[in-house]
Amino acid sequence: MINRENQVETDEMCGEISSDLLRHYNYTLGRLDRQIQPAYLYKALALSIRDRLMESWRVTREQEEIKKSKRVFYLSLEFLLGRALTNAIENLELEEEAQQALRDYGTTLEDVQEQELDAGLGNGGLGRLAACFLDSCATLQLPVTGYGIRYEYGMFHQRIERGFQVESPDHWLLDGNPWEIERADRTRTIKFYGYSEHYTHDNGEHGVRWSGTSDVKALPYDMPIPGYRNGTVNTLRLWQAVASDEFNLDEFNAGDYTEAVAAKNQAEQITMVLYPNDSSVNGKALRLRQQYFLASASMQDVLADWAADNGEDFSDFASKHCFQLNDTHPTLAVAELMRLLIDEHFLAWDQAWQITTQTMAYTNHTLLPEALEKWSVRLMQELLPRIMDIIYEVNARFLAEVTLRWPGDTERQRHLSLIEEGDDPHVRMAYLAIVGSSSVNGVAALHSQLLKAGLFKNFYELWPNKFNNKTNGVTPRRWLAFCNRPLSNLINETIGDNWVTDLDKLNELKKFTNDPSFCAKWDQIKKSNKENLADLVMEQCGVQFDTEYMFDVQVKRIHEYKRQLLNILHVIHLYDRIKRGDTQNLKPRCVLIGGKAAPGYAQAKLTIKLINNVAAVINADPGVASYLKFVFLPNYRVSSMEVICAATDLSEQISTAGKEASGTGNMKFMMNGAVTIGTYDGANIEILDAVGPENFFLFGLKVEELPEYRRLHQPSQIIEQDEDLRRVMQLLECGHFNLFEPGLFEPIVAAVRNPYDPWMVAADFRAYIEAQQMASNAYDDRTSWLQRSIMNTATSGRFSSDRTIREYAQDIWKL
Ligand code: 26W
């Protein structure tokens, strides 16, 4: 056994970055290249930086063990981390030294960071939120650990062929991941299949165990999560599935060794790929396996630590733990914790239930009915029989409570039941999450309101105190300080650098909206950021963006509710105005749309095709070039947003009211001084409130207006009566954008003309066009636009994830 005293301190182990870099390049990576290979230079630098995280990582862990304070576990099927290198370097304040070291190799940090693949272990907002939260927890020095899945393949790579989205696998681990540490000693065993076996303990009591299972091993990999210049390094633990040696024992015994080894694949498939569905459920058994795999591995991991210190005494467990469920995806943790406490630690139901409900907390991220998870009882019974037993018992006891509250109200019982009855009964995962938790929160004020009034109304009546709001936020480190160095330097010169961990300080910028020299610098920085984006657009799309034009940007997953279509209609309208010579007060724009469509979502994929076809017509027309450019930027991801948000003038947040739970891209744009054009939806409402209506282009129907408008909605009549929309629809319907692909866009035309269009595109068209014209006019008056831009940054303090996490820590986690 080696004593701590005998171990060399990291400080002594690490020399200069430059010598460590060389050592890792030659020895760790074993490279003998005459010419330095950029990919290996990145890796050697990453390893040198990781060395510098190690000591703080160990100390953070040890201090937590000593303090024995309450700990929080953030359970999520998705962590959309993006790149780690610059983030780690900046957090450790090693930028200068790293740049210095790289100078010897004739390169820069900016170039080397391009070698790192994004860790794309998430779809969009929900996964990126989890990453921002981890950053804030480390910065606020809170004892929070992330638990997730180490997908072999992350979010697919998107490329565009003939205007269509083409997906390819994202094998991000192929060249290894320098940031992770394998922890084989913490491997867990996860049960599947089998049956519940009832037996009698020695003391005569009744017990249940889950027998006859096919087991899979869960092997954890830890990723360091550094706080901002504070010595704290928290942990994200990602589980990988590995076949157990006993896997397919029968075949081994039958002597079919090679067949049996080959069959290990099945077990290892569990963590092979991230499901690319965003806001629509996929009922595949493999997805259910992923969810249980994460829940079981994580709960076992926590209980093992507890039992090591406290034996079988669970009396203090609830006051020392909190599990935050990122949507319903990890909700089986509720049933799994019950199972472990009852079957393996022999607690009585009531004590186990008290611990479970006291420690679990659930965050809802969507109101869309198609995104609400339901699992077939039949499937669950086969795959997770013991878990299904427990869910049935939770439900029976819960319905008894409902009966007490509303005697004889069978209608209400049916509505509240965790089981949706029918030919093929399903478990309602959101209901399991609500019943099993002490807190249920939405992610923006409006969204939390709508949860109480609609989706979860019955539960709200039953338990009003469980419900609360936690408006989302984003980390100001990645989303301002690091991705927009020039702007953050200017802010530092002007008001000092405390804003990085206290974003409300940005308020002090308000004073400078009338300072001409400050405004000129602000303008200059935006312009140079726009040049960076223009370079990216040229490289990716072959289209020249002019930095004098307004940069009008919508980047997010492609979904009908987000209404990229409305944006396209506006672009076609501008094109139509140019072609008919109505250019009087038309101001030049570069419009950029980016985002991935779920591979099975035909309408979203067709929307991408339409963007590309419209863009091809516009960009090929020299008569249009002095007013309008339009591109679809392929493979939108975290690292592209870092370039995009710093360079945007106008941020498009145009969802149908009541559909976007919060939005977080809206906050990144705002922080970087973009002005929003948006609907009264999600966190837009709070952004509008913070920045003031004169600095925000609001348009469109409000949630409370929609039902009435839906009843009377006659899109074809709107089209008939609105000359601009009529002309736009004519261009679409006559095949102007698909001359050689007849009929291709019929589903899109039909969607706009559908009287039951859920997204109300035609209804908001006129208001949108008018708001766009106001934005154009405003941009034309550059001095006042700059003031608007500065005001957006200055009032973005509320949208720091530090604020959000403080609220979670206080109200839910009780840290
Ligand atoms: C089960 C398939 C599935 C996968 C992901 C269903 C639903 C989802 C998520 C709810 C999609 C998502 O990312 N939601 C977004 O969460 C963000 C963070 O709270 C919000 O800002 C977005 O408004 C919300 O759409």
Side-chain angles (χ1 to χ4, degrees), residues 225-289:
I225 307 291
Y228 181 72
R229 301 182 186 178
N230 63 5
T232 291
V233 179
N234 281 348
T235 301
L236 169 59
R237 179 160 288 178
L238 299 176
W239 299 101
Q240 182 189 21
V242 180
S244 61
D245 288 339
E246 304 87 59
F247 195 78
N248 271 317
L249 202 62
D250 293 347
E251 271 146 283
F252 275 112
N253 290 342
D256 209 341
Y257 167 76
T258 37
E259 286 286 304
V261 173
K264 279 168 167 266
N265 258 326
Q266 224 209 19
E268 293 174 359
Q269 260 179 28
I270 293 176
T271 56
M272 199 55 72
V273 60
L274 167 78
Y275 275 92
N277 312 53
D278 175 84
S279 42
S280 74
V281 289
N282 177 318
K284 295 264 168 59
L286 181 58
R287 169 80 177 176
L288 182 60
R289 276 182 224 232

Side-chain angles (χ1 to χ4, degrees), residues 185-200:
D185 57 315
R186 311 274 316 200
T187 301
R188 306 286 159 203
T189 302
I190 315 300
K191 294 170 185 264
F192 289 102
Y193 300 105
Y195 52 90
S196 302
E197 186 186 358
H198 294 252
Y199 68 98
T200 310

Side-chain angles (χ1 to χ4, degrees), residues 78 123-127 129 275-282 287 291 326-329 363-366 370-373 443 447 472 557 561-562 659-667 682:
E78 306 189 11
N123 272 284
L126 163 145
L129 185 75
Y275 275 92
N277 312 53
D278 175 84
S279 42
S280 74
V281 289
N282 177 318
R287 169 80 177 176
Q291 296 188 349
N326 200 19
D327 215 290
T328 54
H329 317 160
T363 305
N364 172 285
H365 294 267
T366 181
E370 62 269 34
L372 298 177
E373 291 195 298
V443 290
H447 171 235
N472 284 167
R557 288 300 289 261
Y561 86 77
K562 296 179 187 279
K659 299 297 177 188
E660 188 70 271
S662 162
T664 44
N666 47 4
M667 302 168 183

Side-chain angles (χ1 to χ4, degrees), residues 550 570 573-574 577-578 580-589 626-628 724 766 769-781:
M550 171 197 264
H570 171 246
H573 164 66
L574 292 180
R577 278 183 63 186
I578 299 163
R580 69 182 193 227
D582 174 19
T583 53
Q584 255 275 294
N585 56 3
L586 202 145
K587 310 292 169 355
R589 291 191 187 224
S626 52
Y627 292 104
L628 186 60
D724 291 334
R766 178 48 41 198
I769 298 300
E770 281 168 9
Q772 286 284 20
Q773 184 62 52
M774 299 217 292
S776 273
N777 297 346
Y779 187 72
D780 211 30
D781 177 357

